[in-house]
Amino acid sequence: MPYSKIHINPISPEPTSGSVLVIYTGGTLGMVYETKGRQLVPFNFDQIIERVPEISRLDFAITFLSLPEPIDSSNMNPAIWIELAEIIGSNYDQFDSFVILHGTDTMAYTASALSYLLENLNKPVILTGAQLPIGVARSDARENVITALELAAARNEQGNPIISEVCIYFNSNLLRGNRSKKKESSDFNAFHSENYPALATAGVRIEYNLPYIKPFLPGVELVVHKSLNTQVAFLKMFPGISPEVVQAVMNIPDLRGVVLETFGAGNATTDIWFLSTISRAIKNQIVIFNVSQCDGGRVAQGHYQTSKYLQQAGVVSGSDITPEAAITKMMYVFAIESDYQNCVEMLGKPLRGEMSI
Ligand code: ASP
C-alpha cells in the first residue's frame, strides 16, 4: 500500500519560516466519528484542514505523510522504528523539522528508539498524540498538534532550530523523548519525565529551559542506523520470584541482554540461587542492565548490600534511565556491537542524554 502525502502551504502573505514533515503513524489522535453511526474510524488526512483549521494559519509549509497502514501503537515494532528513521533520513535535507503523530501507549519507546537510531541529529523530531480522538469536541489533539508544529518550527536568533533532538510534546510540556514515560491512561497530562526537567512549557508563551536542551551542533552529519537487535528481555523483580521464572528468562536461546527491573536504588534479593543464576548468565556473556522500578531517583549499586552483590557479579548500572530507554538502548547497542565488554561500556554511559552519569 502506498504512503499518502498532502502538502499544506501557509496562506499568510509573510515569508515562511521553514518546512515541517508530519508523519502519521496512527493512535487515538487520528480517529473521528463516521457521519452515520457513532463509531470511531481512522481519520482521512485529506480532511486535516477541516478538522484542525488552525493549521492553515501557521507560517510554514507542512507536508503530511501517512504510513500505509496506521496502527494502534500497541502494535509498534522495531521494523517500523527503522522505517521512521529511514523516512527522516531520506527527507532530512528537504525539511527543517519533523513531527510524528503516534499513539500514546508506546510513544516513549518509539521516542527512545529514534533517539539512538538518529545519531548526530541536528533538527527537531517531535512526537505527539492525544488522549481523545481529534473528532471529539473536547479532544486534546488540536493543542498538542499545533504546539508540536510550532516547537518544531521554532528558530533562535541565529536561525538554528531551538530543539535539535527527539522529544515528546504533550499537554503543555516538551520532554526529552528518551527520558519520558506514559504515566496516565486517562488524564490529559499523560507523560512525565521524572529524572530530567521539561525542555519547554507552553503557556501563553513558550518558555524554553535552554540549559537542559541539547545544543545545536553545526557541521555534524546525520547517521541513520538501520538495525536493532531484539534478543533482549525484561525481568521484573518481585518478592517471591521463583528460580523457575529467573532461569526461564536467562535460558532464552541466543539472549544477549536483560533489563533487570530492581527495587529502589537498584536492589534485589540476595538469595544464593538468584545471585548464582545472575553470575552464570554474565559468564555466558548475557549483559544484565540494572534499572529501578521507581520512576524517580537512580540505581546506586553498592549502596546497599542487596545491590553490592549485583555489582560484584558484573551487572551494569542503568543509573536513572527509564525501562523504555533501557530496552531500546540494548536493541541499538547489540545491533552495532558484538563484543560483550564494548556493549557493557556503551550501556553504562549516556549515548543520547538518556541517563545521568
Ligand atoms: N491505544 C492507543 C495507541 O497507543 C492509545 C492512544 O493513542 O492514546 O495507539
Side-chain angles (χ1 to χ4, degrees):
M1 219 189 284
Y3 291 95
S4 63
K5 209 175 198 180
I6 62 161
H7 303 278
I8 296 164
N9 287 311
I11 53 169
S12 136
E14 302 298 317
T16 62
S17 61
S19 56
V20 185
L21 177 64
V22 179
I23 309 164
Y24 171 59
T25 67
T28 298
L29 178 137
M31 299 267 167
V32 290
Y33 281 109
E34 38 175 28
T35 4
K36 289 184 213 140
R38 299 289 295 155
Q39 211 183 327
L40 279 167
V41 293
F43 168 60
N44 176 355
F45 261 95
D46 294 352
Q47 308 153 0
I48 183 83
I49 295 293
E50 231 170 86
R51 298 283 166 186
V52 195
E54 300 86 345
I55 283 186
S56 58
R57 295 209 291 273
L58 295 171
D59 182 27
F60 39 85
I62 304 169
T63 299
F64 280 90
L65 183 74
S66 176
L67 289 191
E69 282 181 49
I71 53 163
D72 183 297
S73 78
S74 298
N75 285 319
M76 187 47 75
N77 60 53
I80 306 178
W81 291 337
I82 292 165
E83 192 177 345
L84 290 171
E86 285 178 327
I87 292 172
I88 291 170
S90 58
N91 287 280
Y92 200 65
D93 294 335
Q94 292 96 289
F95 292 90
D96 296 315
S97 47
F98 302 86
V99 168
I100 299 176
L101 306 181
H102 195 288
T104 55
D105 289 348
T106 61
M107 195 187 291
Y109 288 91
T110 299
S112 299
L114 289 176
S115 76
Y116 304 121
L117 292 174
L118 300 169
E119 188 174 356
N120 290 341
L121 182 68
N122 234 350
K123 294 187 177 185
V125 173
I126 300 180
L127 288 94
T128 196
Q131 291 285 65
L132 275 179
I134 209 161
V136 171
R138 276 193 325 109
S139 176
D140 50 338
R142 269 172 229 95
E143 196 283 319
N144 284 347
V145 172
I146 296 289
T147 309
L149 286 166
E150 290 201 337
L151 286 160
R155 295 285 173 274
N156 62 18
E157 281 164 11
Q158 292 76 44
N160 296 323
I162 300 179
I163 305 297
S164 56
E165 54 180 303
V166 180
C167 298
I168 288 182
Y169 176 73
F170 219 89
N171 194 52
S172 305
N173 289 311
L174 182 74
L175 308 174
R176 176 168 289 170
N178 56 28
R179 292 286 194 152
S180 308
K181 191 171 188 56
K182 183 172 179 181
K183 63 158 181 163
E184 261 293 335
S185 59
S186 52
D187 198 292
F188 283 143
N189 193 16
F191 286 87
H192 75 161
S193 162
E194 202 59 36
N195 289 323
Y196 201 77
L199 304 184
T201 42
V204 174
R205 286 160 41 90
I206 294 177
E207 302 288 349
Y208 291 94
N209 200 354
L210 292 175
Y212 292 94
I213 297 174
K214 174 191 101 54
F216 174 82
L217 302 166
V220 296
E221 280 260 322
L222 177 75
V223 179
V224 180
H225 294 274
K226 296 181 179 169
S227 61
L228 289 166
N229 185 317
T230 55
Q231 288 158 317
V232 294
F234 272 121
L235 176 62
K236 185 168 184 163
M237 294 305 298
F238 58 91
I241 192 167
S242 67
E244 290 76 15
V245 169
V246 178
Q247 279 153 13
V249 172
M250 298 304 169
N251 289 332
I252 294 170
D254 302 321
L255 185 70
R256 298 270 315 266
V258 175
V259 173
L260 183 68
E261 292 191 77
T262 53
F263 308 121
N267 307 315
T269 173
T270 52
D271 281 352
I272 297 296
W273 67 263
F274 177 75
L275 294 170
S276 55
T277 309
I278 294 289
S279 295
R280 206 173 322 117
I282 292 172
K283 282 199 185 83
N284 290 334
Q285 312 236 298
I286 294 172
V287 183
I288 313 287
F289 200 23
N290 187 349
V291 174
S292 176
Q293 292 178 20
C294 299
D295 288 348
R298 62 165 76 188
V299 166
Q301 290 195 143
H303 189 60
Y304 292 92
Q305 193 184 47
T306 42
S307 66
K308 198 171 190 133
Y309 291 135
L310 297 179
Q311 187 179 34
Q312 286 165 349
V315 170
V316 183
S317 169
S319 181
D320 56 358
I321 198 168
T322 62
E324 291 85 341
I327 197 90
T328 48
K329 186 176 186 178
M330 274 195 161
M331 290 183 190
Y332 165 71
V333 166
F334 295 152
I336 60 168
E337 185 55 67
S338 53
D339 179 75
Y340 172 84
Q341 203 47 46
N342 290 346
C343 289
V344 164
E345 271 163 37
M346 287 178 81
L347 285 164
K349 66 178 186 197
L351 301 178
R352 307 281 190 272
E354 74 284 2
M355 64 197 262
S356 312
I357 314 163

